[in-house]
Amino acid sequence: MSFLRKNRQGVGRLLKQTYTLSLAFAVVLFGGAAIHSPAQLPKVPTPESKPAPAAPLDPLGRQTPRSSLINLMKYEASGDYTTAARFLQLPPGENLVYLTKEFRTLSPNFQGSINLLSDDPNGSVAAGLPPGQVRAGVVTVGDTTADMILVRVDDPVAGKIWLVSRETLASIPQLYARLESEKPTEATRIRLALLSGPVILGMSSTQWLCWLLSIPVAWLLAWLSTFLLSAPRRAWCKLRKLPFSSVWDTPLGMPLRCMIATLLHGLFVYLLEPPLLYRVYYVRFLAAILAGCIGWLASRLSDQGFNHALNQTRAHSRGGESILILMQRLNRIGILIIALAVALALLGLNVTAALTGLGIGGFAVALAAQKTLENLIGGVSLLMDKAVQVGDFCKIGDRVGTVADIGLRSLKLRTLDQNLLVVPNGLLAQMQFENMKARPKLLLQQNFSLRIETHVEQLRFVLDGVQRMLDEEPVIESGSSRLRVTNFAGAAFELELFAFVKTGDFREFTGIRQEIILKIAGIVEAAGTRFAAPTRLTYQSKDPGIDTDKASDIIGQGIELRADGAFRFPGEVQPAST
């Protein structure tokens, strides 16, 4: 039950969005389909020769088979039968207006796809027809069928135009008489009932109501079909007590449901038998929606592939996650552009001209967006060189933090105080950039001072004790540590510690450094001396100075060890054996 409740809530939200979007698009398309606006095609003369006489431009838009048939339906839908008759190939003297009315009455019986007609002024080659003729479809009444043929003719005013052929028009009266004499079937009665009532934009109110109701019904049937398709596997998993998951519960489920709902809605609209002109435009609209759903599905599929590659890369610590993320984003943009171009082409727009204009405009935009392109190229180079990846601990300029994201335009650094620093990729090449994650070891370099009253043997004891401690530490790289007296001036002996810690984790390094410093402090205290304060010393009469007893003991031990050769002094040059 929880599964059903969850799906009903998701269905309700998406249904509301789908219903609103479909209603808005349909009103715009239906309103625009009823308005006749012929296109104007400018002619550009060649500058090198005299301009050739421009071909006459037909104001009625009869240059191609598709445009001729669509414009014929526009004039019929607006009731301008006189102009619509000019799309018919009949000699003067015939009752063209009456014939046009009959032609419109028979339009619901037309079977064919106007969107598949040629949009070339020369037409296309049709089987069984001579050049200059195109078969647009068939008109069927009962068992009588007639081909609708478009023929290309020469008009003294408009030039080469496409008209409905004489052969087709000769069969119109016979088909119309058959339609009038034929007893209406049950389906015809239902259709006539739907057509009754007030007419709005060429469709009856009943048709409009059925069309609006078909949107939620199509979505509910799509959801129900997906639920029924997954029911056998759901029952099998329940009997086996296995976890159940289907493709409908994945990110691919929603695009697939939208595709099924769109197809079901198209079937309902076809059964409603709207005017032929509306069918032409609405089929284009549904085809554009299907193209968008297919692009959505392709994007989801590619995202799953990229996510799998990212998980594999992270699991094996191969690196390159940022490159995969960038490729995923570019893939989404590419799919979006392709889906948009296909949808525009299906809607009847000239995509070739749009892409040509986009190329010219893109050059101008590239000149105006040099910084943006610089950042884009810098980001791609940064990822291809694998100089930095998401999650690396870096120092950019004087700021230190973890890389949160690498985009096409900028790099985002989460600093130690949790602020988000955004650095354009083009500036990274001009800034000091350090990646501190890939370090195999870290340098431990410390300077400290001992009081000037420290005896030489005490100083030797400190040097020997610290060096032994460093050599025994497993986290210190063997052979890399050294401790030297660098200077003595004023009131202190200055010492320098240099060693490599075998870790690249800065947090672990700080703990090791702290432990080393505490051990050095213990060695200095055991030697009976003290660290020198970084201030100017003023001796007073009550200053105890150094520990005399410990100093005497250490001096005696040092003299005995040196006499026996058992005292190893760091940096001391051993005499050559003879």
Side-chain angles (χ1 to χ4, degrees):
M1 295 302 293
S2 61
F3 172 79
L4 292 176
R5 284 195 297 270
K6 181 175 68 175
N7 278 274
R8 278 198 293 266
Q9 292 174 0
V11 167
R13 289 194 299 268
L14 186 62
L15 181 58
K16 183 178 180 181
Q17 297 174 0
T18 307
Y19 187 85
T20 305
L21 182 61
S22 300
L23 180 60
F25 270 109
V27 170
V28 172
L29 286 173
F30 285 164
I35 301 174
H36 173 65
S37 56
Q40 300 295 329
L41 302 176
K43 300 293 182 179
V44 181
T46 56
E48 298 180 357
S49 60
K50 293 182 179 180
L57 185 64
D58 182 21
L60 300 181
R62 297 171 291 182
Q63 293 91 351
T64 67
R66 185 195 302 176
S67 64
S68 179
L69 195 54
I70 290 177
N71 288 322
L72 169 60
M73 292 185 293
K74 285 182 180 179
Y75 287 111
E76 285 182 347
S78 62
D80 189 358
Y81 297 110
T82 304
T83 305
R86 299 177 63 182
F87 289 79
L88 310 180
Q89 188 193 22
L90 276 181
E94 296 287 342
N95 193 347
L96 299 181
V97 174
Y98 183 75
L99 190 61
T100 305
K101 292 181 180 180
E102 293 180 345
F103 187 84
R104 185 189 179 187
T105 305
L106 292 171
S107 61
N109 299 80
F110 174 79
Q111 298 176 5
S113 180
I114 300 177
N115 289 313
L116 297 181
L117 285 177
S118 174
D119 206 23
D120 186 355
N122 297 320
S124 59
V125 179
L129 294 177
Q133 293 188 13
V134 172
R135 181 180 290 104
V138 295
V139 180
T140 304
V141 178
D143 55 355
T144 305
T145 302
D147 290 335
M148 179 177 286
I149 306 297
L150 299 180
V151 60
R152 194 182 190 197
V153 300
D154 287 323
D155 187 90
V157 177
K160 296 282 188 179
I161 59 175
W162 289 85
L163 302 176
V164 179
S165 67
R166 292 189 179 95
E167 292 78 7
T168 301
L169 296 177
S171 61
I172 295 299
Q174 180 183 358
L175 292 172
Y176 183 77
R178 180 66 183 272
L179 182 64
E180 290 292 327
S181 62
E182 197 175 53
K183 183 179 180 180
T185 61
E186 190 65 28
T188 305
R189 292 191 185 96
I190 295 175
R191 184 171 64 85
L192 294 176
L194 291 176
L195 293 175
S196 62
V199 178
I200 304 173
L201 293 177
M203 289 177 60
S204 67
S205 57
T206 309
Q207 284 179 301
W208 277 109
L209 180 60
C210 293
W211 174 80
L212 292 174
L213 292 176
S214 68
I215 298 175
V217 169
W219 176 255
L220 291 176
L221 288 178
W223 181 86
L224 181 61
S225 63
T226 59
F227 182 78
L228 294 177
L229 287 173
S230 60
R233 189 168 182 271
R234 183 184 295 105
W236 184 83
C237 292
K238 187 175 182 179
L239 292 175
R240 299 277 183 142
K241 296 182 179 180
L242 297 175
F244 171 76
S245 62
S246 66
V247 68
W248 311 109
D249 301 324
T250 64
L252 304 180
M254 191 57 66
L256 290 174
R257 285 193 181 98
C258 290
M259 293 171 65
I260 296 175
T262 303
L263 293 174
L264 290 174
H265 178 67
L267 176 62
F268 292 152
V269 172
Y270 175 78
L271 296 176
L272 287 174
E273 294 187 354
L276 189 57
L277 181 62
Y278 286 176
R279 272 187 272 172
V280 171
Y281 284 100
Y282 204 66
V283 165
R284 293 182 181 180
F285 170 65
L286 294 181
I289 291 181
L290 280 177
C293 292
I294 294 174
W296 187 9
L297 180 63
S299 178
R300 290 289 179 87
L301 284 171
S302 62
D303 284 346
Q304 286 191 349
F306 278 111
N307 291 335
H308 178 73
L310 280 172
N311 294 332
Q312 292 293 325
T313 302
R314 290 166 180 166
H316 295 85
S317 301
R318 298 174 181 172
E321 296 92 341
S322 301
I323 297 179
L324 289 175
I325 294 174
L326 177 60
M327 292 177 61
Q328 184 178 12
R329 294 175 180 175
L330 293 176
N331 179 72
R332 289 174 181 172
I333 295 174
I335 292 177
L336 176 62
I337 293 175
I338 294 174
L340 182 60
V342 173
L344 293 177
L346 292 173
L347 288 174
L349 300 178
N350 191 351
V351 181
T352 304
L355 292 178
T356 304
L358 183 62
I360 299 174
F363 180 74
V365 171
L367 294 177
Q370 295 183 11
K371 288 295 182 182
T372 302
L373 290 177
E374 179 183 354
N375 294 330
L376 176 61
I377 297 174
V380 174
S381 301
L382 191 67
L383 294 175
M384 294 300 293
D385 293 340
K386 296 184 179 181
V388 63
Q389 297 178 9
V390 175
D392 289 356
F393 188 74
C394 300
K395 181 179 181 181
I396 300 178
D398 57 348
R399 305 296 296 274
V400 178
T402 304
V403 177
D405 182 56
I406 302 176
L408 297 177
R409 191 192 68 85
S410 61
L411 179 144
K412 297 179 178 63
L413 185 75
R414 183 70 66 179
T415 60
L416 297 180
D417 53 1
Q418 296 304 302
N419 291 329
L420 191 63
L421 177 66
V422 180
V423 183
N425 293 329
L427 294 180
L428 287 177
Q430 307 172 13
M431 300 178 64
Q432 183 179 358
F433 182 87
E434 298 181 16
N435 190 340
M436 296 183 284
K437 180 181 179 180
R439 297 176 295 182
K441 55 187 177 182
L442 293 174
L443 175 63
L444 173 62
Q445 186 174 10
Q446 293 290 328
N447 295 321
F448 61 94
S449 302
L450 300 179
R451 295 180 59 154
I452 195 64
E453 296 91 344
T454 303
H455 195 274
V456 175
E457 296 302 327
Q458 290 177 297
L459 186 59
R460 293 177 186 272
F461 185 86
V462 172
L463 293 172
D464 181 72
V466 173
Q467 187 64 57
R468 289 180 183 274
M469 181 269 296
L470 294 175
D471 292 341
E472 294 172 359
E473 283 289 339
V475 295
I476 301 299
E477 186 181 37
S478 177
S480 67
S481 61
R482 65 175 183 267
L483 179 67
R484 299 290 183 268
V485 178
T486 59
N487 191 16
F488 64 93
F493 289 99
E494 297 180 0
L495 290 84
E496 180 186 45
L497 171 65
F498 184 94
F500 281 108
V501 180
K502 295 186 294 185
T503 181
D505 189 350
F506 188 75
R507 179 178 296 181
E508 182 182 0
F509 169 77
T510 56
I512 296 173
R513 182 178 60 186
Q514 171 182 281
E515 188 64 25
I516 296 296
I517 292 175
L518 292 177
K519 289 182 178 181
I520 292 175
I523 294 173
V524 171
E525 184 178 352
T529 184
R530 294 180 181 178
F531 291 104
T535 57
R536 184 175 181 180
L537 299 180
T538 302
Y539 291 102
Q540 299 178 356
S541 58
K542 294 183 179 181
D543 184 9
I546 63 177
D547 192 331
T548 307
D549 296 335
K550 289 186 177 180
S552 300
D553 294 340
I554 291 298
I555 292 173
Q557 294 178 17
I559 293 174
E560 293 177 1
L561 292 173
R562 287 177 61 80
D564 297 337
F567 189 85
R568 182 171 61 86
F569 181 61
E572 185 176 17
V573 179
Q574 300 293 334
S577 58
T578 56

